[in-house]
Every structure is written in structure tokens, then in C-alpha cells.
Amino acid sequence: MDGDRRTDRETGAGRGGGASGPSDRPGRGGAADAARKRAEDSRDDRRRGSAPGAQTRGAGKRTAGPGRDRTARGKGAGRTPADPARVVALETLRAVRERDAYANLVLPGLLREYRVEGRDAALATELGYGACRALGVLDAVIADCAGREIDEIDGSLLDILRLGAYQLLRTRVEPHAAVHTAVELARAESGTGRSGFVNAVLRRVAERSAQEWTDRLAPTDPIGRMAFEYAHPMWIAQAFADALGTDAGELPELLAADDARPLVHLVARPGDITAEELALVTGGEEGRWSPYAVYLEGGDPGALEPVREGMAAVQDEGSQLVALALTRAPLHGADGGRWLDLCAGPGGKTALLGALADIDGFRVDAVEPARHRAELVRTATRGLPVQVHIADGRDSGLAAGYDRILVDAPCTGLGALRRRPEARWRRTPGDIADLVALQRELLIAAWDLVRPGGVVVYSTCSPHLPETVAVVADTVRRTGAEQLDARPLLPGVTGLGAGPAVQLWPHRHGTDAMFVAALRKPA
């Protein structure tokens, strides 16, 4: 890859990316112009010695109107919920328990349905996601206080107990308020009689602090105790410690970061808007590592104009670095512009690759076996030089000869637990064997499709050693691949270890725990 081409990609320059020249992609233009105007105004402000204005996003507003008039479900239907934020959090817990729903997909819709905004929305988000994240610890405390196993407690009451226990143990909500609101929710759900059970259990929960409950219920071994304290299953905490290796002393910091609510990360679409412009128009902050990343404290990113117009999207900065690593990996021979994303759904990395390819007149093929996820890829890449193929990546039917192939393999997702609150309690060690077999097959399939001198980048959103270094080592042994040092593919990123593969970490980099390895086929 020549230096000029790399400069275009990394600065977002190219077609439609400068200060002049309209974009020809559908739905683009208005927000980009506004962003550029805002950037110019900001520069003028700085010259005059004043601070740029920030966009107001409704923080501090109390909800009014229909959102406060929703009726509760169950025997208490017809009552007006006194606290819409807690109703939204409770409905989120219910959806996770009853339908195996994903909290990060359910809760935003509930906020809109109940018209909860501002501080109430922030509280609902903290309670809903937080209770899902701490589920295993909350259940242990509830079982101890109730004197019975969790599966012996009615599901609707259990959700209320989880919500109340979370407030008592992990927030600054006053104990009397946490107990009172939980009792009111129980009364609305099930009537007065069963609300007494909720009251009794939560009063017992409130008798001890979080630290005292840890002392009472946590395993005595160091990793087991840390796992309980930071709300992780023991096997996941052990997997993190194994992946840290000689840096296992960082485990408390890693678990704490994984247990905290993360920032929202946006990606600025190269060629449409720069990170500086996106930060200014959204009130966010430019990222540390990716030239396209912007951080937001919270809110609904789907309501932002650049996101609605397709010039930006929600994407963890670590995922952006994975896509960028593929474009930066050194080839033997010229880049013919034939790229492949072998595991494309739902399309975030494919979209970034497509935007970068578009700058140079290259093209990207994207493979996704599930039809509905393939449609998500098509939506994410609309207007970009990306062709979506509905096929199994292990037998795609595509012709060999690709210059660059990304294998962002299906995995346990242990590296993104902070963004998927309930996921840590759903995964089990029994999931690993089948996933590892699939990962190895996909990587071999990519190897067969890449040209001599071409590069395959293998990534997972998991630091678990069987899914990462073990899969790569097996492929190198079977194929004779040259494993490149992946650290130079992430320029400026610190704390990448000894190489040749790279492991990103929430506590070091503020990203999901993405693994990246680069393999080049001998020419």
C-alpha cells in the first residue's frame, strides 16, 4: 500500500470527504454541511478565545405526558406507575428472562414507547443494564435472603427483587426508596399479599453492604472472589486471567472495566464526514486510537442526524481498529482492490471497509449465511462498493484470488460483555468446542481464497485463548502461513504486548477485548 493512499484513508479524505464537493450517496449532505459549518465556527471561536457551543441533548429534563400514564401489567393493570424509569428497567428484565431478549436491543425501544427522556432515561438505563450485568450476584443474595432457590421464586417477583437488590447494593439510591418503589411495583404486578414477600426479602438485602455480602457469599479463592465482586461467572474471570498471562495482576482492573457502563462509540464514515466534524455536531469527543472514532457519554445515537443519514454508525473503536488493520497489512505485490469480509453480519466492519475501498476504487465482497443478517449488511453498506452473498463462509462458492480477507469469526463474545449486559450469564464453557471448530474451518476457507502474497486478518470479540492464539497457531501449522506482527497495523495504540498477535482490553484501551492476528500467504 503506497503512502498517499494510506494518507487518504486515515484522514477521511477522498470522494466527498473534503470541504467541497457533494457526496453522491443517497441521504447524505445536510448533516455533513452542518458539521463542517460547526467545525469552522468552532475554529473561529477558538481564534476569538471563546469556547465552542455544545449541542444540547435534553439532559436534565423530566418526562411529561403519555410516558407517565402507562399502565402496569398483571393483576395491577389499570394503575398508573409512579416511576416510569423503573417500569422501563423492569420491562427490560422481564424481556431478558421470558424471551432471552438482548437488553441493549430492548431497552431503547421501551424508552421510546414509554416516552422516558433525560434523567429518567439515564436512570432506566443504569437500572436495566446494571441489573442484567449483576444478575448472578443479585440472585445469590436474593436466594440467601429468601431462604429458597431462585427457580422457586415467581418470575415476575424475581425481576422486581433483582431491580430492588441492584439499587440497594450497586447504586446510591436511598434504601427506603429502593424498597418502597419495589413494593409498589410488586403491588401493581401481583397485589398486596405478594408485595409483602418483596418487602421482607429486600429489607434483609439492605441489612448488609455489597462488601459484606461479598464476604458472606463469595468463594474464598482469589479469582472466585474477584469474579463475585465484579459480577462475572468464575469461568470467565479465569479465562481473562489466562489471556492476561504474565499481566494477570491486572485482572481486578479488567473485571472492573468490564463491569462498568461503557461510553457509546461512533464511527465517522470515511468520505462523508470526519471524526472532528462528527464530534462537533454530536457534542462528542474524538477517539484515542481510530481516526474515525467519536465517544459519546450516552443518549440515543439513533436519533443523531449523522447516524440517521448514514454518515456515521455505532461501532466500538476496537472493531474499527480490526477493519483498519486489514487495510494496513503489507502485501506481496500490488493491491488489486479485491477484498472479502467472510463473516460480515451485521455489517459494521463491512461498512467501514466498503467506505475505505470506495476511496481507492476497490470493491468488497461480504458473506453472511443468515438471510436477515445479510439484509442488515446490505442496509449498512448501501451506496458503497459492497456485494453481499448469502452463503456459508466455509463453502462460499467464491473464486479465489482475494488480496485481503477479514475473518471476524463467530465467538463467545466474552470481549464485549460490557456492551451486552446479560451475555455473561448465558454463555457456558460448553459453547466453546463447537465455536472453535467453526473458527478453524472459516480461517482455512479464507486461506484457500486469498491469493499468494495476500493477507488474512483473523479477529474475535473474545480474548479466550482457545478461540484466539490456539486457532491461529493451528492454522499456521497446517498451512505454513507467515504470521505478521500485528502491532504496526495499529499505529499509536499502546499496551499491545509482545506480539505478533494483538489483544485489546477494556481497562487498557477503552475498547472491547478484540483479538487481531494477520497471516500472509507465501508468494
Side-chain angles (χ1 to χ4, degrees), residues 2-69:
D2 61 70
D4 292 338
R5 179 174 294 162
R6 181 173 299 172
T7 300
D8 284 346
R9 288 184 183 142
E10 313 237 338
T11 60
R15 183 179 61 75
S20 62
S23 169
D24 60 1
R25 293 183 197 155
R28 313 290 206 264
D33 292 341
R36 293 185 183 107
K37 179 63 166 60
R38 194 180 292 264
E40 292 168 2
D41 292 344
S42 175
R43 286 190 288 268
D44 291 342
D45 287 338
R46 285 195 291 271
R47 293 189 189 103
R48 291 191 298 267
S50 61
Q55 184 182 34
T56 300
R57 294 176 298 189
K61 293 182 181 177
R62 298 293 293 178
T63 303
R68 290 187 177 272
D69 296 326

Side-chain angles (χ1 to χ4, degrees), residues 61-63 67-70 81-93 107 110-111 114-129 163 167 173 181 185:
K61 293 182 181 177
R62 298 293 293 178
T63 303
R68 290 187 177 272
D69 296 326
R70 305 290 303 188
D83 194 329
R86 287 179 173 84
V87 170
V88 167
L90 182 61
E91 291 290 339
T92 300
L93 291 175
L107 190 140
L110 287 170
L111 292 175
Y114 284 79
R115 301 184 185 180
V116 178
E117 299 174 346
R119 290 176 180 172
D120 282 345
L123 177 61
T125 301
E126 167 62 21
L127 298 184
Y129 289 168
L163 184 61
Q167 294 172 77
V173 174
T181 53
L185 287 170

Side-chain angles (χ1 to χ4, degrees), residues 72-425:
R73 296 184 186 179
K75 295 180 182 178
R79 295 176 181 269
T80 300
D83 194 329
R86 287 179 173 84
V87 170
V88 167
L90 182 61
E91 291 290 339
T92 300
L93 291 175
R94 188 200 309 274
V96 170
R97 176 181 53 82
E98 291 183 345
R99 308 196 309 271
D100 283 337
Y102 296 100
N104 65 324
L105 299 181
V106 169
L107 190 140
L110 287 170
L111 292 175
R112 291 190 292 270
E113 179 186 349
Y114 284 79
R115 301 184 185 180
V116 178
E117 299 174 346
R119 290 176 180 172
D120 282 345
L123 177 61
T125 301
E126 167 62 21
L127 298 184
Y129 289 168
C132 287
R133 194 177 292 117
L135 209 61
V137 172
L138 300 177
D139 284 357
V141 173
I142 290 167
D144 189 82
C145 293
R148 66 185 73 174
E149 297 298 322
I150 287 297
D151 58 11
E152 297 175 8
I153 300 174
D154 176 77
S156 62
L157 292 182
L158 179 59
D159 293 334
I160 295 171
L161 288 170
R162 287 166 168 168
L163 184 61
Y166 179 77
Q167 294 172 77
L168 289 169
L169 299 178
R170 289 186 154 226
T171 74
R172 296 181 180 179
V173 174
E174 290 293 331
H176 73 273
V179 174
H180 174 74
T181 53
V183 169
E184 288 299 306
L185 287 170
R187 186 174 288 119
E189 287 277 342
S190 306
T192 303
R194 301 178 79 185
S195 68
F197 172 70
V198 170
N199 181 64
V201 171
L202 290 182
R203 287 188 180 277
R204 292 192 186 103
V205 173
E207 290 173 357
R208 291 182 172 88
S209 67
Q211 186 61 55
E212 289 169 335
W213 279 116
T214 297
D215 294 339
R216 177 178 172 85
L217 300 177
T220 57
D221 66 284
I223 291 182
R225 182 180 176 86
M226 279 188 280
F228 188 94
E229 183 175 1
Y230 295 109
H232 284 70
M234 169 68 176
W235 77 272
I236 292 179
Q238 184 63 62
F240 286 175
D242 294 342
L244 284 167
T246 58
D247 296 321
E250 297 178 14
L251 183 60
E253 290 78 16
L254 168 56
L255 292 174
D258 207 44
D259 195 33
R261 181 165 162 251
L263 296 173
V264 175
H265 289 186
L266 299 180
V267 58
R269 185 66 57 82
D272 281 341
I273 191 170
T274 67
E276 180 188 19
E277 292 165 348
L278 181 60
L280 287 165
V281 81
T282 60
E285 177 187 354
E286 291 181 63
R288 286 194 295 167
W289 314 118
S290 165
Y292 308 110
V294 169
Y295 307 151
L296 297 179
E297 286 291 339
D300 180 6
L304 298 171
E305 186 178 1
V307 175
R308 292 199 311 269
E309 292 193 3
M311 295 185 299
V314 177
Q315 186 177 50
D316 183 81
E317 191 172 20
S319 294
Q320 298 175 42
L321 293 175
V322 168
L324 290 169
L326 180 70
T327 68
R328 295 165 174 163
L331 308 175
H332 284 315
D335 191 338
R338 191 168 175 234
W339 299 355
L340 170 64
D341 187 347
L342 197 61
C343 309
K349 297 181 185 68
T350 318
L352 181 51
L353 288 174
L356 294 169
D358 196 25
I359 291 170
D360 293 321
F362 293 168
R363 298 195 61 82
V364 180
D365 285 309
V367 173
E368 169 54 49
R371 186 171 297 276
H372 72 282
R373 285 171 64 86
E375 287 303 317
L376 293 176
V377 179
R378 289 193 178 99
T379 299
T381 60
R382 186 169 51 242
L384 295 172
V386 175
Q387 183 173 356
V388 180
H389 306 265
I390 301 176
D392 188 325
R394 293 169 292 183
D395 186 19
S396 64
L398 297 173
Y402 287 95
D403 299 280
R404 303 178 186 274
I405 301 179
L406 175 63
V407 181
D408 183 40
C411 65
T412 55
L414 302 189
L417 297 179
R418 62 195 190 128
R419 298 196 184 277
R420 299 166 189 165
E422 71 293 322
R424 68 190 65 186
W425 307 110

